[in-house]
Amino acid sequence: MRLTYTSDVWWKNAVVYCLDVETFKDGNGDGVGDFRGLTQQIDYLAGLGVTCLWLMPFFPTPNRDDGYDITDFYSIDPRLGTLGDFVEFMRTAHDRGMRVIADLVVNHTSDQHPWFKESRKSKNSPLRDWYVWSDKPEPDDPSKVVFPDKEDSLWEWDNRSKQYYLHSFYKHQPDLNVANPEVRDEITRILGFWMELGLSGFRVDAVPFLIENVDPKLPDPHEFLQDMRAFMTRRKGGSILLGEVNVPYEDLVQYFGDGLGDQVTMCFDFISMQKAWLSLARQNAGPLADALRERPKPPKDGQWAMFLRNHDELTLDKLTDEERQEVFDAFGPEKDMQIFGRGLRRRLPTMLGGDLRRVKMAYSLLFSLPGTPVIFYGEEIGMGENLDEEGRLAVRVPMQWTRDGGFSPAEPVREVPEGSFAPDRVNVADQKRDTASLLRWFQLLIERYRECPELAWGTYTVLDAGHHAVFAHRCDADGATVVVAHNLCDTAVDAELELAGLEGQQLTDLLVDGTLDVSADAKVKLPLEPHGCRWLRASPPEIAPEDAGVMSQ
Ligand code: GLC
């Protein structure tokens, strides 16, 4: 396929790296990460192969939800630096060929935001309708409370102005009311402001809540998403929205803009993520295979964003109670590892028992699954969590640069893990020197993933591999094919694949040495080591494998 597509529609095979400036690198020695520190690490990120950075919220905040409670959408949390530092960071990231997107958290503000302070002054406040107020705490559905450890209602009584206000999340996060055109205008202004400073788009927090929890109900809630996207496209053609939309597939397609693709550019695939964990727990490819077979195709130029872990709990809310329990039993049996009754506050390597082979296989799976991979800082070196930190903060520990931490010369904002995942065992510096490290494995995976745009762009087919533990799929684009197989179990197995159309072709291994021949009746036997993984490029005998991906331009 033509590589020129991958620069126009860049998000379709990007490598997205999510980080929190606060915990990435401290540049001024006060124990808190900042833009100066992050900027100094730009070459590390470029060297890893990251093409797009996603910055978690970096705005002024009382920090009661790790920055997802904002008091000013137009500036920088002074602990993290200044607007000047931000612009220098942007310039340096762009110079290294990386795009930057940021969290757009406009479902709610902090209750300390001047808008809310004004709104709650009285029922006659000019900003009263910027939030959702009601005489009755209704409709209420405690099962819809997102953080059941702290909240038991979606409404909070405001004694001063004698009404309830809506909060889909914590009570200190009142919901903005996008039914109000002034609020919509303000959100557009926020988008424009940061795009003017160079952002290529936004990861939109809590999209369904944003458009649904409003008063009065919008006749077409999706019109607002269309308006946002149209505004961004007018200002900067290639800008994107990456949506946090954790709803069943059948409801999800409309967030892309069904058919048209004029709303959210990419949606996280929460369903296949959860099924992937069930598959890992069972050592059985079935759940993941079923999810990907059922998954709707996004509209043209839309894309799925794939992930295994993120900054939140590993949510298992779309599994049945029994399935969730299976994942808990396998990867987080202790109560302290679980959270909100639906998830795990752990990072991937600890859940996989620190088994490097299995960890490497899981990430190989992530980079090869159809969609754009999104990784959370520290995944590339296999960082663990610190369960002594409260709630979801357990996974948001300081980045581990060297054996003594290397995040900050001062007491860090959060404690690093102890034991086998402590910085003296898991850090960037050591792994850079070790060719067998997870860091080097990530670099190889990213290099191959970028060389094989079929993986993210192509038409994918989940294959029957003849063994329940093997997840195998093929991706086809413009006459080129990549075949991938992962062994989810801890014993060696032989997969048997049928590869229609590839009769007599050669399969060249892209991760290790080796080639296989597809038989005249399109069959191939594929040996896989315990937790083994293989990425194979198909090529007719007369064409060099290196040319097979680009032959049909
Ligand atoms: C999203 C974020 C989460 C945050 C919540 C409220 O779910 O991912 O971290 O707490 O929204 O903003």
Side-chain angles (χ1 to χ4, degrees), residues 386 388-389 397-398 411-418:
N386 181 0
D388 292 340
E389 292 290 341
V397 287
E411 182 78 15
V413 58
R414 222 159 274 151
E415 292 295 326
V416 294
E418 291 176 356

Short mmCIF file of all heavy atoms in Angstrom, two decimals, residues 386 388-389 397-398 411-418:
data_model
loop_
_atom_site.label_atom_id
_atom_site.label_comp_id
_atom_site.label_asym_id
_atom_site.label_seq_id
_atom_site.Cartn_x
_atom_site.Cartn_y
_atom_site.Cartn_z
N ASN A 386 2.13 0.55 42.51
CA ASN A 386 2.38 0.65 43.95
C ASN A 386 1.03 0.72 44.66
O ASN A 386 0.38 1.76 44.69
CB ASN A 386 3.21 1.91 44.25
CG ASN A 386 3.50 2.03 45.73
OD1 ASN A 386 3.07 1.18 46.52
ND2 ASN A 386 4.21 3.07 46.11
N ASP A 388 0.29 0.88 47.59
CA ASP A 388 0.18 1.78 48.74
C ASP A 388 -0.41 3.13 48.35
O ASP A 388 -0.87 3.88 49.20
CB ASP A 388 1.55 2.02 49.38
CG ASP A 388 2.08 0.75 50.02
OD1 ASP A 388 1.25 -0.15 50.30
OD2 ASP A 388 3.30 0.65 50.22
N GLU A 389 -0.34 3.45 47.06
CA GLU A 389 -0.95 4.71 46.60
C GLU A 389 -2.46 4.53 46.52
O GLU A 389 -2.95 3.45 46.19
CB GLU A 389 -0.38 5.12 45.24
CG GLU A 389 1.08 5.52 45.27
CD GLU A 389 1.33 6.86 45.99
OE1 GLU A 389 0.37 7.65 46.15
OE2 GLU A 389 2.47 7.10 46.39
N VAL A 397 2.60 5.84 38.98
CA VAL A 397 3.84 6.05 39.75
C VAL A 397 4.88 6.76 38.89
O VAL A 397 4.78 6.78 37.66
CB VAL A 397 4.38 4.69 40.26
CG1 VAL A 397 3.52 4.16 41.37
CG2 VAL A 397 4.47 3.67 39.13
N PRO A 398 5.91 7.38 39.53
CA PRO A 398 6.92 8.09 38.75
C PRO A 398 7.65 7.17 37.76
O PRO A 398 7.94 6.02 38.08
CB PRO A 398 7.90 8.62 39.80
CG PRO A 398 7.12 8.66 41.07
CD PRO A 398 6.14 7.52 40.98
N GLU A 411 12.20 14.28 47.00
CA GLU A 411 11.14 13.32 47.35
C GLU A 411 10.08 13.35 46.25
O GLU A 411 9.50 14.41 46.00
CB GLU A 411 10.55 13.78 48.69
CG GLU A 411 9.48 12.91 49.27
CD GLU A 411 10.06 11.67 49.95
OE1 GLU A 411 11.28 11.62 50.20
OE2 GLU A 411 9.26 10.77 50.19
N PRO A 412 9.83 12.22 45.56
CA PRO A 412 8.91 12.30 44.41
C PRO A 412 7.45 12.47 44.81
O PRO A 412 7.05 12.07 45.91
CB PRO A 412 9.11 10.95 43.70
CG PRO A 412 9.65 10.04 44.71
CD PRO A 412 10.34 10.86 45.76
N VAL A 413 6.69 13.05 43.91
CA VAL A 413 5.28 13.34 44.13
C VAL A 413 4.50 12.08 44.54
O VAL A 413 3.50 12.16 45.26
CB VAL A 413 4.71 14.00 42.86
CG1 VAL A 413 4.88 13.11 41.64
CG2 VAL A 413 3.27 14.40 43.00
N ARG A 414 4.95 10.95 44.09
CA ARG A 414 4.31 9.67 44.44
C ARG A 414 5.41 8.64 44.67
O ARG A 414 6.48 8.75 44.06
CB ARG A 414 3.44 9.25 43.25
CG ARG A 414 2.11 8.70 43.63
CD ARG A 414 1.14 8.79 42.46
NE ARG A 414 0.47 10.06 42.39
CZ ARG A 414 0.04 10.62 41.26
NH1 ARG A 414 0.22 10.01 40.11
NH2 ARG A 414 -0.57 11.79 41.29
N GLU A 415 5.13 7.65 45.50
CA GLU A 415 6.15 6.65 45.83
C GLU A 415 6.30 5.61 44.71
O GLU A 415 5.30 5.12 44.18
CB GLU A 415 5.75 5.90 47.10
CG GLU A 415 5.78 6.75 48.36
CD GLU A 415 7.19 7.22 48.72
OE1 GLU A 415 8.14 6.46 48.45
OE2 GLU A 415 7.31 8.34 49.23
N VAL A 416 7.54 5.25 44.40
CA VAL A 416 7.78 4.19 43.41
C VAL A 416 7.51 2.83 44.07
O VAL A 416 7.52 2.72 45.29
CB VAL A 416 9.24 4.22 42.88
CG1 VAL A 416 9.48 5.50 42.09
CG2 VAL A 416 10.24 4.08 44.00
N PRO A 417 7.28 1.79 43.26
CA PRO A 417 7.06 0.46 43.85
C PRO A 417 8.32 -0.07 44.51
O PRO A 417 9.43 0.35 44.18
CB PRO A 417 6.71 -0.41 42.63
CG PRO A 417 6.55 0.49 41.47
CD PRO A 417 7.19 1.79 41.80
N GLU A 418 8.12 -1.00 45.42
CA GLU A 418 9.26 -1.68 46.04
C GLU A 418 9.35 -3.10 45.50
O GLU A 418 8.49 -3.54 44.76
CB GLU A 418 9.08 -1.71 47.56
CG GLU A 418 9.21 -0.33 48.16
CD GLU A 418 8.93 -0.31 49.66
OE1 GLU A 418 8.55 -1.36 50.21
OE2 GLU A 418 9.10 0.77 50.25
#
